[in-house]
Amino acid sequence: MVSEASFYLFNATKRRFFYREVKILVPNTWQSLNFQRPQYEAHQKASVMISNPNFSYGNDPYTLHYKGCGNKGKYIHFTPDFLMDDNLLMVYGPRGKVFLHEWAHFQWGVFDEYNYEKPFFLSVDNEIKATRCSSEMVGMYVCKKRSCSDGECIIDPLTGNLEEGCMFLANSNQKVKSSIMYMQSLSSIVEFCTEQDHDKEAPNMQNKICSYRSSWDVIKSSADFKSTKPILGTGPPPPPSFLLLRSRARVICLVLDISDNMAKGQQFHRLRQAAAIFLQQLVEPGSYVGIVTFNETAEVKSTLRHIVSEDVRWNLTSCLPDTVRGGMSVCEGISAGLQVNKGLDGITEGSEIILAVSGRDTSLPTCLTNVLGSGSVIHTIAVGHDADPELESLTESTGGKMFFTSNNKDSDNLIGAFTEIFPVNKDPPDLLTKITSVQRLIEAEGHFSGLVIMDKTVGNDTVFTITWEAGDPPYVIIRDPSGFNYTNENFDHNLLCQVSNLKIPGISQAGFWTYIITNTLKKSQVVGILVTSRPSSSTIPPTTISGEWTDEGITPEQPRTVFAELKQGHIAVQGANVTAVIEPESGDPIIVTLKDNGAGADTLRNDGIYSGYIFLFPKNGRYALKILAKSTNTTSLVPALNNAAMYVPGYIENGTINMNPPKPIVTSFEQRSIEPFSRIHFLGSFKVSYVLENMENKDIFPPCRIVDLEARLQNDYAILTWTAPGDNYDQGSASSYDIRTSNSPSELQQHFPMAVVVNTSSIHPKPAGSRETFSFKLHNGTGDRGIILYIAIRATDKAAQQSPVSNLVHVTRHVLQLKDLNFAISSAVPRFNTTVIVISLSVLSLCLLLGGGLYCWRKQASFQLLSDAHSIELQEFYTGTPKQEALCKDQELPMHVTSTDDMSEETVIILEERMDF
């Protein structure tokens, strides 16, 4: 598949790209053949996932992509059946071309050029066209439902479009070469749609998300395209090389800063607590763990120990440092950590280091070469605002994770960082789920309490972890849903690290657990609670949360976009409360609500991806980011929406319809509610370096682009709906809206200020995220022939900054007349006989005119198109004498038409032999 895709990719990109090296990471359970050890490769970082079918798609290949146009996707998903079952080649096409279709989604952020929900549209030229690219692709309209009346496609007189049930079948042989993003299954399709053949009117996701740009235009704008020149010559690309990898037992070393920098506040104490929690309950059985501390020099506190028992965990915990002193040399610590990791089999490839640093080391860049040559993954934790500014370079170079924790007393990001550095190649039953994490400053002899929501998808290996600052443990009561109380006697206490663990035996009860933690000291102290669990079943997936942010650096004009994916297996979870908490180096955190409304930063509505913009940072420096998710009364499960490859229903071969087997129904699924849950995810850290003085007093962010504008026609009024943007992207309220119309979509796209203005003075913009509705009356500028009117909108803020032009919509009003009854069918069907049933009062008027009041009818009039014409004109016809009796008695009525030889070569139409009114 990949070798074929490399050839197609090379030609489709005009000899620029091909696949040079492919690394395949196989499960640990596979028998050893000639597998090599992975270095930075991990399952969750893979470009392509081959796993069980997605609940929503079955064997459909798809790409998880939610960052918008031109941005890289998350991963491509294939099923084993897709790779093994050759019967699927007819419905998807060659696997190599399907791979290229999905690769374009993943690598360049382009979208599909078809639309299952809107397979047809009425063009500005009054032609019914299939939603496709290129528009020159030829085929036939065929009905697939009983509602189409004897297999014939029906035109809806209210919309002028084909009614539901009609489909477009493409010729198996085409002259056109595009587009790979529409129907890659055809042999002639080897290119992407360009500006010359891209159909900007088609109601597909490519036009909606990418502002009517062609897929090739988006690809050409990518950074890799701009930096790559075509390869000279005419020969094929070199074949890819393949490397088979299999993970080994995890080898990891904690490299901890014990310099004087760690003495500030409670940094050292909190670091020791976090490391103890990692060793006692987070690192998985079978792993090998060592400990190194460093100041000016490094000391090995423990060589690699094999995690096979609780005794080993406690022995490792006892090796954690208890004092801080001296200066700091990060390179000494890293070097010692690499030597520890060599202790297993003499190599460091694929091993990991967790590096916690509080101070600065000017020699840090000098050890980067040594780190890169080791093949180890470095995870960094910047502790406090004085941590070395070059620390993240180690993470970026080795594929590790980077975290930051401030000196704020109630920050839980240090413990949270260790909970996220867990193995990424584990099976779902072993996945760690974080349910609750809270740190709270409690006054002397005071207490705090809360709820823990334990849903049925988790409950195995549930642990309540309590942390405190000094003295004996606080008094804790944990009450399960049945009313049973767990107290201090049920906990395991580590008095050196001030950590207590309560492990719930068996599967913990689903429902609402409560906790009360009382500070028994005569002074205030910070007390925390962390609740983790694992899936309760090997067959029912748990509700999980993951996230990421845009990779490009933050600038004053470009905010950071945060995404959170909430799902249960492959099923999207919609309607939850999802919040991003951004912790600065000092001061109060920034709270941003993430939304799944298909507006602002969010690409698709109700797909389980919650998105939001983060901007107006108070100062330069590091920021830690975590995401909280909690169910509501309206939270439910819905099939996920992704970029799935088209399941081709059939083809036209030499004038014959050849249908593929119907698409299998994976599982009958309806939207259903979900029981209460809560989740927390510590996403990591990022840097901000652009903040200027007095920036908070400047309005530099415009409203976000409106991407969900919709329109419908009611009588003579166009009714518009959209989601309100904000004054600053998706926050606040815009000041006004600018709505314009045109008969030409290109005018709205390219010359919006020149289009016709709609009076919007009555609109008072609502807060961001609200639904807006507005209507205006259509004029009769096009006379009696009806109109197609394109509409777009943009918002303006109080500083007169304008959002980009929205997605385009259109409304269509048709007036059908006897003298020129035009049923325009796209040039997609110039060589095939297509039957179209027209339901219209014009037919009734025709009966009255010709039949003298004959208005009883049994079924719709049928017209058969028998020519290559784009528009078919009704020719003269007449009937026999006994019209009224024959019509009303439902008898056959002989119908006659002018000989086709006498008609113009442009058009011809005959009525069906039976035509009943």
Side-chain angles (χ1 to χ4, degrees):
M1 176 179 68
V2 178
S3 296
E4 290 179 0
S6 185
F7 175 79
Y8 291 125
L9 172 66
F10 188 66
N11 291 322
T13 58
K14 316 301 182 188
R15 303 179 61 83
R16 282 178 174 82
F17 303 111
F18 58 91
Y19 301 115
R20 185 183 302 277
E21 183 181 57
V22 182
K23 297 179 181 179
I24 302 176
L25 184 61
V26 304
N28 296 339
T29 55
W30 285 23
Q31 292 183 358
S32 178
L33 296 174
N34 190 25
F35 300 134
Q36 298 188 31
R37 182 176 299 170
Q39 296 184 22
Y40 317 130
E41 300 80 15
H43 284 287
Q44 74 173 21
K45 297 179 182 179
S47 305
V48 180
M49 305 283 283
I50 299 174
S51 63
N52 294 330
N54 185 312
F55 185 90
S56 307
Y57 296 111
N59 286 314
D60 282 354
Y62 71 89
T63 300
L64 180 59
H65 180 247
Y66 46 76
K67 290 186 180 180
C69 185
N71 294 311
K72 197 169 184 177
K74 185 72 172 177
Y75 60 78
I76 300 169
H77 181 275
F78 295 114
T79 67
D81 283 346
F82 173 78
L83 294 174
M84 304 288 288
D85 187 356
D86 289 344
N87 292 324
L88 297 177
L89 293 175
M90 285 299 297
V91 296
Y92 297 113
R95 295 185 182 95
K97 292 177 74 173
V98 175
F99 190 96
L100 176 56
H101 174 98
E102 298 303 330
W103 184 261
H105 285 311
F106 170 78
Q107 181 67 22
W108 296 305
V110 298
F111 288 80
D112 290 321
E113 292 165 346
Y114 54 86
N115 189 332
Y116 286 127
E117 295 182 357
K118 296 179 180 180
F120 306 101
F121 67 98
L122 190 60
S123 75
V124 71
D125 299 320
N126 282 338
E127 292 184 356
I128 295 176
K129 293 184 177 181
T131 303
R132 66 195 190 282
C133 193
S134 100
S135 59
E136 299 302 317
M137 183 177 291
V138 295
M140 184 176 182
Y141 296 112
V142 177
C143 183
K144 62 179 179 179
K145 292 187 177 180
R146 294 179 180 178
S147 60
C148 298
S149 178
D150 301 328
E152 297 166 335
C153 290
I154 301 174
I155 292 181
D156 187 338
L158 296 179
T159 65
N161 205 342
L162 296 177
E163 287 193 347
E164 182 183 0
C166 195
M167 69 171 67
F168 173 74
L169 297 184
N171 287 6
S172 58
N173 296 316
Q174 299 279 343
K175 294 182 179 180
V176 296
K177 296 183 178 181
S178 61
S179 167
I180 291 167
M181 302 313 297
Y182 172 62
M183 193 174 289
Q184 75 285 332
S185 57
L186 298 177
S187 59
S188 68
I189 303 303
V190 293
E191 297 178 352
F192 295 99
C193 252
T194 66
E195 192 67 22
Q196 286 68 40
D197 54 12
H198 177 63
D199 194 339
K200 293 183 178 180
E201 299 179 65
N204 54 38
M205 291 300 292
Q206 175 64 25
N207 277 333
K208 179 179 180 180
I209 305 300
C210 293
S211 301
Y212 308 93
R213 298 166 61 195
S214 69
S215 55
W216 183 240
D217 183 51
V218 175
I219 293 171
K220 289 196 303 181
S221 301
S222 64
D224 55 357
F225 189 97
K226 291 179 179 179
S227 61
T228 306
K229 294 182 179 180
I231 297 176
L232 300 178
T234 58
S241 64
F242 294 89
L243 195 62
L244 296 179
L245 309 173
R246 191 185 69 168
S247 299
R248 63 169 181 172
R250 195 179 189 196
V251 177
I252 189 167
C253 184
L254 305 186
V255 179
L256 308 177
D257 182 359
I258 60 167
S259 67
D260 290 337
N261 299 294
M262 291 296 298
K264 299 175 182 178
Q266 292 292 318
Q267 289 181 173
F268 177 71
H269 173 70
R270 290 159 60 189
L271 176 61
R272 190 169 55 177
Q273 282 184 331
I277 293 171
F278 177 80
L279 295 171
Q280 290 176 356
Q281 69 181 73
L282 298 179
V283 66
E284 68 279 14
S287 300
Y288 293 85
V289 182
I291 300 174
V292 167
T293 60
F294 69 93
N295 41 34
E296 300 100 331
T297 60
E299 179 184 359
V300 177
K301 304 293 289 186
S302 173
T303 58
L304 290 178
R305 300 291 303 275
H306 194 196
I307 306 296
V308 293
S309 66
E310 291 297 316
D311 288 340
V312 175
R313 294 180 183 273
W314 281 100
N315 286 337
L316 279 169
T317 304
S318 66
C319 295
L320 291 173
D322 55 8
T323 59
V324 296
R325 63 184 182 278
M328 185 183 69
S329 174
V330 176
C331 290
E332 288 290 328
I334 294 175
S335 179
L338 293 175
Q339 289 299 317
V340 168
N341 284 348
K342 276 186 178 182
L344 182 62
D345 52 14
I347 62 175
T348 57
E349 288 185 349
S351 66
E352 300 170 77
I353 285 178
I354 299 179
L355 177 63
V357 177
S358 179
R360 301 185 178 223
D361 180 4
T362 57
S363 64
L364 181 60
T366 62
C367 57
L368 185 58
T369 302
N370 187 32
V371 169
L372 293 177
S374 70
S376 292
V377 176
I378 311 294
H379 309 289
T380 60
I381 305 175
V383 183
H385 65 273
D386 288 330
D388 198 289
E390 299 299 322
L391 193 62
E392 285 80 3
S393 63
L394 296 171
T395 298
E396 295 167 353
S397 302
T398 64
K401 298 180 180 181
M402 52 188 177
F403 299 91
F404 161 73
T405 181
S406 71
N407 293 328
N408 295 337
K409 289 186 175 182
D410 57 355
S411 173
D412 59 350
N413 281 296
L414 185 51
I415 293 176
F418 277 91
T419 67
E420 296 294 343
I421 307 176
F422 58 84
V424 295
N425 301 332
K426 299 298 288 182
D427 294 327
D430 298 322
L431 293 179
L432 182 74
T433 299
K434 296 172 290 298
I435 298 174
T436 296
S437 177
V438 180
Q439 295 272 344
R440 190 71 53 83
L441 178 63
I442 307 179
E443 298 298 326
E445 300 181 341
H447 69 272
F448 84 100
S449 59
L451 279 175
V452 176
I453 305 174
M454 195 74 64
D455 58 282
K456 292 180 180 179
T457 68
V458 294
N460 187 32
D461 193 22
T462 301
V463 179
F464 287 75
T465 300
I466 307 299
T467 59
W468 69 98
E469 285 186 332
D472 293 332
Y475 185 69
V476 181
I477 300 176
I478 307 290
R479 177 172 298 175
D480 70 17
S482 66
F484 179 81
N485 289 337
Y486 297 89
T487 61
N488 286 39
E489 291 75 17
N490 304 110
F491 282 78
D492 293 322
H493 304 286
N494 183 337
L495 299 181
L496 179 63
C497 297
Q498 283 85 44
V499 176
S500 298
N501 292 322
L502 168 66
K503 296 184 178 181
I504 306 299
I507 303 297
S508 56
Q509 294 183 45
F512 294 95
W513 295 59
T514 61
Y515 61 85
I516 301 176
I517 304 176
T518 302
N519 178 16
T520 57
L521 299 182
K522 298 296 183 180
K523 62 179 181 179
S524 62
Q525 68 169 328
V526 174
V527 176
I529 179 171
L530 169 70
V531 182
T532 62
S533 188
R534 299 183 191 272
S536 59
S537 169
S538 60
T539 57
I540 301 176
T543 301
T544 60
I545 184 171
S546 59
E548 62 177 319
W549 58 75
T550 48
D551 296 328
E552 58 269 16
I554 304 176
T555 66
E557 296 79 17
Q558 183 66 41
R560 187 171 288 273
T561 306
V562 177
F563 306 94
E565 182 182 14
L566 197 58
K567 62 182 181 179
Q568 189 178 103
H570 289 303
I571 308 173
V573 179
Q574 70 170 26
N577 279 337
V578 181
T579 304
V581 180
I582 304 95
E583 180 181 298
E585 293 180 350
S586 61
D588 296 330
I590 303 169
I591 310 296
V592 175
T593 299
L594 306 184
K595 300 176 182 179
D596 184 17
N597 60 355
D602 195 57
T603 302
L604 294 175
R605 183 183 185 89
N606 292 337
D607 64 345
I609 307 295
Y610 297 77
S611 314
Y613 294 116
I614 303 177
F615 51 93
L616 293 178
F617 295 94
K619 58 183 68 176
N620 292 322
R622 290 185 174 99
Y623 288 81
L625 173 60
K626 65 182 177 183
I627 299 175
L628 311 177
K630 190 175 182 180
S631 59
T632 67
N633 293 333
T634 60
T635 302
S636 59
L637 299 174
V638 295
L641 301 173
N642 292 311
N643 297 283
M646 177 188 287
Y647 188 99
V648 181
Y651 304 93
I652 305 299
E653 297 184 21
N654 299 321
T656 301
I657 298 175
N658 290 326
M659 299 299 295
N660 287 321
K663 184 175 182 179
I665 299 176
V666 181
T667 303
S668 179
F669 181 85
E670 295 181 358
Q671 179 175 331
R672 64 175 184 262
S673 60
I674 184 174
E675 62 182 12
F677 69 87
S678 66
R679 298 290 186 268
I680 184 169
H681 175 46
F682 295 89
L683 196 52
S685 64
F686 58 87
K687 285 183 177 180
V688 175
S689 59
Y690 70 82
V691 178
L692 305 176
E693 293 184 4
N694 300 320
M695 194 169 176
E696 64 275 9
N697 300 322
K698 299 178 182 179
D699 188 347
I700 62 173
F701 297 105
C704 61
R705 178 174 179 256
I706 296 170
V707 297
D708 63 345
L709 179 65
E710 298 177 352
R712 60 185 176 89
L713 187 65
Q714 183 173 317
N715 299 325
D716 288 334
Y717 285 85
I719 300 177
L720 308 180
T721 57
W722 67 92
T723 301
D727 179 82
N728 296 318
Y729 284 94
D730 59 354
Q731 298 179 26
S733 300
S735 296
S736 63
Y737 293 116
D738 184 2
I739 299 176
R740 301 196 181 230
T741 67
S742 175
N743 294 325
S744 167
S746 61
E747 181 180 27
L748 288 175
Q749 297 159 7
Q750 302 171 15
H751 306 289
F752 184 83
M754 305 300 293
V756 177
V757 178
V758 175
N759 186 352
T760 59
S761 59
S762 62
I763 308 179
H764 301 287
K766 298 178 181 178
S770 305
R771 292 296 290 172
E772 300 272 25
T773 301
F774 176 72
S775 63
F776 63 94
K777 188 173 184 179
L778 303 183
H779 59 81
N780 290 321
T782 55
D784 294 332
R785 291 189 58 89
I787 60 171
I788 286 185
L789 196 65
Y790 289 86
I791 308 167
I793 183 174
R794 65 181 178 186
T796 304
D797 68 8
K798 60 180 179 291
Q801 297 179 111
Q802 295 178 322
S803 70
V805 176
S806 72
N807 62 297
L808 268 65
V809 294
H810 74 268
V811 292
T812 306
R813 182 178 63 189
H814 286 280
V815 179
L816 302 179
Q817 296 193 25
L818 174 63
K819 64 181 181 180
D820 189 13
L821 191 56
N822 248 347
F823 303 112
I825 302 297
S826 154
S827 58
V829 288
R831 305 186 187 279
F832 291 96
N833 301 337
T834 304
T835 303
V836 180
I837 299 177
V838 181
I839 310 171
S840 175
L841 291 178
S842 296
V843 176
L844 179 58
S845 301
L846 179 62
C847 294
L848 294 175
L849 178 65
L850 300 178
L854 302 177
Y855 54 84
C856 55
W857 65 90
R858 185 167 56 85
K859 68 177 185 177
Q860 297 93 336
S862 297
F863 300 93
Q864 188 171 22
L865 311 182
L866 296 178
S867 77
D868 290 2
H870 296 180
S871 60
I872 311 302
E873 296 185 11
L874 182 63
Q875 302 296 312
E876 178 185 3
F877 70 91
Y878 57 92
T879 66
T881 303
K883 304 173 187 145
Q884 190 168 11
E885 180 181 359
L887 290 170
C888 293
K889 289 183 178 180
D890 194 28
Q891 296 178 356
E892 290 190 6
L893 180 65
M895 308 299 294
H896 307 278
V897 297
T898 307
S899 169
T900 56
D901 295 334
D902 298 331
M903 292 185 182
S904 69
E905 61 182 8
E906 295 288 335
T907 59
V908 61
I909 184 170
I910 64 172
L911 279 70
E912 288 186 342
E913 293 183 358
R914 170 190 290 256
M915 183 176 187
D916 300 319
F917 293 90

